[in-house]
Amino acid sequence: MTTTDTREPAPPAPPDPTRVREFVDTEIRPRVEEYDEDERVPDDLLRRVTELGLWAPFLPEEHGGTGTDMVTLARLHEEVGRGCSSLRSLLTVHGMVSWSVWRWGDQDQRDRLLPGLAAGRPLAAFCLTGPEGGSDTSVAATSAEPDGGGWVLTGHKKWITGGQLAGLFLVFARTGKAMTAFLVPADAPGVTVRPLSGILGTRASMLADIRFDQVRLGPDAVLGPPGWAAATVMTSALDLGRLSVASGSVGIIGAALEACAEVTATRPSGDGVLADRQLVRRMLSDMITNRRAARLLCAEAGRLRDTDDPGVVTASWVAKYFAATAAARAASDAVQIHGALGCGPRSPVARLYRDAKVMEIIEGSTELQQTAIADHAHREVTP
Ligand SMILES: Cc1cc2nc3c(=O)[nH]c(=O)nc-3n(C[C@H](O)[C@H](O)[C@H](O)COP(=O)(O)OP(=O)(O)OC[C@H]3O[C@@H](n4cnc5c(N)ncnc54)[C@H](O)[C@@H]3O)c2cc1C
């Protein structure tokens, strides 16, 4: 007699931050200066990210993900950011597009795109900023005109993370006075991708300048409500992006701290070592305190996102503002503590310094976060 096992197969396990930490230490950190110098991440690293299930782990199982919660996602992006901000940036934008398809896509778009996106095939890029400027999205010049049942897209997007690698672009374009989001294959006729090099930080994030010249799109290219993308697709994707950048910034502080703990313990100073010097100790204590505080803010933003709490918007601004400015400060102090060693070629702390500055600009600059947070001042003090 045979017995049939009627139990459901165990669901795939979400990626584990401890395992990802080991992956970062053994496979990324030994090679990260090479990525920075080459201004690209190698294919074998991208394959490892797929094997570890890191591209869009928050997607539900039915769409190829592992249903990873946002608090865990923040920890994962912290670990990757501790090793390589460029790779973390690629995860950020790919995650933003995958999230948008899941949250705003119709059944056909979800079925067609999500299993591939969960595995990073294709990679996706988020195309909002144009040469006309990024902070004020209302000035966007890229536009789409109705054409039969579909659309014709024309315009120019700049500074697009992962643009050199992506097979799918999420493009925000004006449709009349409103904004609509479009899913555009990178190989659609009329799309031209030009690599951007020589960027200050996140040098291996394979940025591109992308032109859309009369690109014809079907009606199924529209993601979310036509004309309402600014309040829907864009807002929720940027929220996720802020959580990811904030978490990556926590990782930068951690990497700065590790480098400084090592050098201050061994660098001679007077009768002792640098770690004995009070002014140096102050910088180390700020790094430790800010990392803890920033990590807690990320966890709070993640928890509010997990529970669909409207407070997530402000929480993500606060987390991103605090973590990005603290990372810029920590990386600057790390260069200071290393002295000339921090200024040399292939200096890890010099890379952190350049990467951290970028954290203050992307996903809403520090000034825009400050402005948005201040708008909530009255709500904060009302019991
Ligand atoms: C490495 C890198 C990767 C990027 N990746 C992407 C990507 O994948 N997709 C994408 O769409 N974009 C991307 N960007 C663009 C990024 O989103 C923009 O740089 C950002 O939104 C800021 O826009 P901007 O650079 O045009 O600066 P601007 O908007 O011109 O602002 C310049 C300065 O003025 C300040 N400022 C602007 N408005 C105000 C205001 N109202 N009050 C006070 N100060 C203000 C800003 O804080 C900033 O300091 C990337 C940029 C970089 C550097």
Side-chain angles (χ1 to χ4, degrees):
M1 198 174 92
T2 55
T3 52
T4 312
D5 189 347
T6 53
R7 285 173 302 178
E8 290 286 322
D16 170 19
T18 308
R19 198 157 159 236
V20 170
R21 186 177 179 83
E22 282 163 21
F23 157 68
V24 166
D25 282 337
T26 55
E27 298 181 49
I28 295 185
R29 293 183 95 180
R31 293 173 67 192
V32 64
E33 307 318 330
E34 195 184 305
Y35 308 157
D36 212 51
E37 216 162 78
D38 296 349
E39 298 195 30
R40 60 180 305 110
V41 284
D43 291 346
D44 63 303
L45 178 67
L46 299 175
R47 274 196 298 277
R48 288 290 290 131
V49 172
T50 302
E51 282 165 18
L52 290 164
L54 290 175
W55 288 117
F58 48 79
L59 290 175
E61 239 182 281
E62 72 202 85
H63 295 305
T66 48
T68 300
D69 63 82
M70 288 291 148
V71 178
T72 306
L73 188 83
R75 287 283 298 117
L76 294 168
H77 285 202
E78 175 190 331
E79 289 304 339
V80 175
R82 193 175 59 85
C84 177
S85 289
S86 295
L87 179 60
R88 200 272 313 133
S89 289
L90 294 174
L91 294 183
T92 302
V93 293
H94 184 83
M96 289 162 76
V97 178
S98 304
W99 170 274
S100 301
V101 174
W102 178 39
R103 172 67 184 80
W104 301 104
D106 59 28
Q107 199 57 46
D108 170 63
Q109 289 168 324
R110 289 171 163 200
D111 292 346
R112 194 159 38 89
L113 296 169
L114 289 179
L117 288 170
R121 300 189 196 97
L123 287 181
F126 185 82
C127 304
L128 177 59
T129 310
E132 61 282 355
S135 298
D136 182 359
T137 54
S138 70
V139 301
T142 295
S143 65
E145 298 290 334
D147 174 56
W151 299 85
V152 177
L153 176 72
T154 304
H156 181 186
K157 296 291 183 182
K158 202 161 179 180
W159 315 111
I160 303 306
T161 297
Q164 297 176 44
L165 289 168
L168 180 69
F169 299 127
L170 176 58
V171 183
F172 293 87
R174 304 213 66 74
T175 46
K177 288 192 172 154
M179 183 83 89
T180 299
F182 294 92
L183 291 162
V184 183
D187 60 1
V191 177
T192 311
V193 177
R194 196 171 60 81
L196 277 177
S197 64
I199 197 91
L200 172 75
T202 61
R203 280 191 178 165
S205 61
M206 303 183 74
L207 294 178
D209 179 292
I210 303 168
R211 287 176 193 267
F212 303 94
D213 181 14
Q214 306 262 313
V215 178
R216 290 184 182 281
L217 301 168
D220 58 351
V222 173
L223 183 69
W228 291 96
T232 56
V233 185
M234 188 194 298
T235 306
S236 65
L238 287 172
D239 262 356
L240 178 60
R242 279 176 201 126
L243 174 61
S244 170
V245 171
S247 306
S249 300
V250 179
I252 291 177
I253 304 172
L257 183 59
E258 285 171 40
C260 292
E262 199 180 315
V263 78
T264 56
T266 52
R267 194 97 174 142
S269 175
D271 293 337
V273 288
L274 270 183
D276 302 328
R277 300 293 182 188
Q278 274 193 340
L279 294 173
V280 170
R281 293 166 74 81
R282 182 193 56 74
M283 291 191 254
L284 294 177
S285 68
D286 283 354
M287 286 181 205
I288 292 169
T289 308
N290 286 338
R291 178 169 68 158
R292 285 188 178 216
R295 193 183 269 158
L296 287 171
L297 289 172
C298 290
E300 185 200 27
R303 185 175 49 76
L304 294 176
R305 196 173 174 94
D306 279 331
T307 52
D308 281 332
D309 189 307
V312 67
V313 178
T314 313
S316 305
W317 286 332
V318 171
K320 198 274 181 178
Y321 167 51
F322 185 85
T325 49
R329 179 62 192 272
S332 170
D333 285 350
V335 174
Q336 194 71 18
I337 285 174
H338 280 71
L341 286 176
C343 304
R346 284 197 159 206
S347 154
V349 290
R351 173 178 45 79
L352 296 175
Y353 182 64
R354 293 186 284 96
D355 289 349
K357 188 65 216 169
V358 169
M359 302 307 114
E360 287 205 287
I361 292 169
I362 56 174
E363 311 305 342
S365 66
T366 292
E367 291 71 29
L368 286 203
Q369 310 297 305
Q370 287 171 321
T371 309
I373 294 164
D375 287 345
H376 282 251
H378 289 106
R379 217 171 301 168
E380 283 285 319
V381 293
T382 307

